[in-house]
Amino acid sequence: MTIEFVQGDITTQEVDAVVNAANSGLLGGGGVDGAIHRAGGPDILRECEELRRTRFPDGLPTGRAVATTAGRLPARWVIHTVGPVYAKREDRSALLASAYRESLRVADELGARTVAFPAVSAGIYGWPLDDAARIAVTTVRDTPSQVQTARFVLFSAEILRAFEGV
């Protein structure tokens, strides 16, 4: 698998699947989640609402992933994953790694060969940037997958440098 790092807007990536750093409610929010829902349009929300009605009435569990249409995005699918909120007193790194592994598993089920990832949990969820980057890159690199290109699409130069430094 080739791993790429770019600074940019994940909603403009021409890939098979875009990973959404979603909240467990799957109904949109701030950051990457809000941007994907706004750019992708109402089709994504409709599928998320259906997932909440059927498969995940209590929300998508932390560390899990599920796919929907990408609506108006240039990608075919959105893979929604819920990263953990950072906690100093509890090691939740296995849950963060699981969010990336589960996203790759869903990508494989879809037949996606190119996947764009954000920095899951590194924004409002408060995960320290260098640690978030280390967990993300090593997990994606070390997880067996049919994905050919994993592209980390990072919002700022600071986040880009952290990911490139792994």
Side-chain angles (χ1 to χ4, degrees), residues 52-117:
R52 284 299 306 276
R53 268 194 303 280
T54 57
R55 293 177 53 196
F56 302 105
D58 297 324
L60 183 64
T62 302
R64 297 273 308 275
V66 66
T68 65
T69 181
R72 296 187 304 247
L73 298 176
R76 285 185 66 188
W77 301 286
V78 174
I79 299 171
H80 306 267
T81 192
V82 180
V85 174
Y86 180 74
K88 287 183 181 181
R89 297 179 189 264
E90 180 184 351
D91 181 6
R92 296 179 177 172
S93 55
L95 286 170
L96 183 54
S98 177
Y100 287 98
R101 272 194 309 277
E102 283 287 300
S103 295
L104 288 170
R105 180 189 61 75
V106 171
D108 283 346
E109 287 176 359
L110 295 168
R113 296 296 174 253
T114 55
V115 179
F117 287 94

